[in-house]
Amino acid sequence: MKSPLPVRDGVNATRLRLPHEGPWETAMDYMMHRWGHIDPQGITDRFDAGEIVGEGGVPLDRTTPLTAHTFIWYYRSLPPEVRMPVEINILHQDEHLLVVDKPHFLPTTPGGTYIQESALVRLRNLLNLPELIPMHRLDRMTAGVLLFSTNPDTRGKYQVLFEKRQVQKEYECVAAIKPAGGLNTPDFPVVVRNRMVKSRTYLLAEVVDGEPNTETRIELMDTHDDGTPPARGLYRLEPHTGKTHQLRVHMASLGLGIMHDAFYPDLLDKAPDDYSKPLQLLARGINFVDPISKQPVEYRSELQLSEFPPTK
């Protein structure tokens, strides 16, 4: 359902579904029930200013009955954010696509404490493209090639490519050469297949028994030993599925946890971001047959993983 409110400061208006019934007589009563403990005066001010709207952009006031609208839209009050010391590099832009190198630490989309400090909001504001939408996502801690749609009229053609897995992705990571935990060194290249689910207790993924729903081909491309443990390997990762944290879990399952991974194989205590030690995982490239030009295209990251010497 399209929002009747435009994007403001790069951020979409929030949509809230109102209940059909309950102990609340008005929409404002329900809003106070949900959010009044956080900002009661802000909610009242929004209703008085006509900044909360229903279907068709009709402004609500304090007396609007609960049942007058099914959905309402409003702009959230956003806390100030400290700008991260990372930048986005634009790799390609045309009337259909925007391709960027997303840096480590910057989330793809707004969420939690990261609103303005997300790739989507930064780029909407920088390029004055309020209808910009990501075609896929990278974890906040993963850097590399990220595609956005710039044209709502052709967006569906690119979405179909991702839905039908007609997009090939290539990642690189840095990890130790010798597996931890007494595991044997794999005979590369190796294909890892297992069944992954999100943990019920934390935002982690875990491997469980059952039919595999993930697959990654892993190849050791190069090694480096400068005398500072551990001796490191540069690995190419080719995922054939796209589960959350799949690559991190698959490397950890080999005893080769990705360098500076605070989740796998061991969950470390939450700490402030250390910009000098980014997760050594990079979305190196992406390729597909462009649905508009009908020609094969490939986009490659220009970033380098800091824990491995630049390749010649």
Side-chain angles (χ1 to χ4, degrees):
M1 182 180 295
K2 185 174 177 61
S3 171
L5 294 176
V7 171
R8 187 168 76 178
D9 297 328
V11 182
N12 295 87
T14 296
R15 186 182 75 174
L16 176 67
R17 185 186 184 101
L18 297 178
H20 294 299
E21 57 185 17
W24 314 281
E25 293 185 1
T26 67
M28 192 176 87
D29 289 341
Y30 180 70
M31 288 281 286
M32 284 295 189
H33 167 74
R34 289 288 302 270
W35 314 117
H37 64 289
I38 298 176
D39 185 20
Q41 188 60 52
I43 293 173
T44 302
D45 290 345
R46 285 190 182 87
F47 275 99
D48 290 344
E51 293 181 350
I52 298 178
V53 305
E55 290 92 335
V58 177
L60 281 63
D61 60 33
R62 298 190 189 199
T63 65
T64 302
L66 178 71
T67 56
H69 298 275
T70 301
F71 293 99
I72 61 175
W73 288 262
Y74 60 96
Y75 296 111
R76 287 178 293 171
S77 296
L78 302 178
E81 296 178 57
V82 177
R83 185 177 175 85
M84 293 184 195
V86 296
E87 300 300 331
I88 305 173
N89 181 37
I90 295 175
L91 300 173
H92 171 83
Q93 184 176 359
D94 60 33
E95 60 181 313
H96 305 291
L97 285 180
L98 173 69
V99 186
V100 304
D101 249 344
K102 185 189 83 66
H104 294 101
F105 302 103
L106 193 70
T108 297
T109 55
T113 59
Y114 305 100
I115 306 298
Q116 294 294 327
E117 284 304 279
S118 63
L120 177 61
V121 175
R122 273 203 192 183
L123 290 165
R124 280 178 171 177
N125 291 330
L126 175 67
L127 302 174
N128 191 27
L129 292 173
E131 294 189 312
L132 194 70
I133 293 293
M135 291 289 90
H136 60 116
R137 300 191 183 207
L138 294 178
D139 288 344
R140 187 171 82 86
M141 293 303 183
T142 303
V145 177
L146 183 61
L147 270 64
F148 293 83
S149 164
T150 61
N151 188 338
D153 293 335
T154 60
R155 183 167 298 155
K157 295 181 183 296
Y158 292 94
Q159 289 174 328
V160 167
L161 296 181
F162 286 91
E163 291 170 0
K164 293 186 175 181
R165 296 184 181 175
Q166 294 175 348
V167 176
Q168 289 73 51
K169 301 175 184 177
E170 175 191 342
Y171 290 75
E172 292 176 4
C173 75
V174 179
I177 299 172
K178 184 177 180 181
L183 296 178
N184 294 326
T185 301
D187 184 14
F188 292 106
V190 63
V191 175
V192 178
R193 299 183 184 91
N194 53 33
R195 184 167 190 83
M196 285 174 47
V197 298
K198 288 293 284 294
S199 170
R200 296 180 179 179
T201 58
Y202 199 70
L203 298 177
L204 294 178
E206 55 187 356
V207 176
V208 298
D209 293 336
E211 184 70 20
N213 61 359
T214 62
E215 179 177 322
T216 306
R217 182 182 185 275
I218 302 173
E219 177 183 354
L220 177 61
M221 296 192 297
D222 200 358
T223 60
H224 176 71
D225 187 355
D226 58 5
T228 303
R232 285 153 280 173
L234 179 65
Y235 297 85
R236 176 186 289 121
L237 313 174
E238 297 175 342
H240 295 169
T241 53
K243 293 290 186 180
T244 300
H245 294 177
Q246 173 179 321
L247 302 180
R248 297 161 71 173
V249 171
H250 281 183
M251 287 297 295
S253 73
L254 299 176
L256 301 168
I258 298 174
M259 289 190 71
H260 308 320
D261 191 340
F263 282 16
Y264 308 98
D266 299 310
L267 178 62
L268 305 182
D269 292 336
K270 184 174 176 58
D273 290 336
D274 185 346
Y275 294 103
S276 70
K277 293 182 178 181
L279 175 71
Q280 295 297 283
L281 178 60
L282 174 68
R284 172 59 71 192
I286 190 168
N287 66 83
F288 53 89
V289 175
D290 189 279
I292 307 299
S293 69
K294 309 300 181 184
Q295 298 299 312
V297 294
E298 181 176 22
Y299 302 104
R300 306 285 293 178
S301 173
E302 297 176 353
L303 299 174
Q304 293 292 331
L305 292 169
S306 58
E307 295 289 355
F308 203 88
T311 55
K312 297 180 180 179

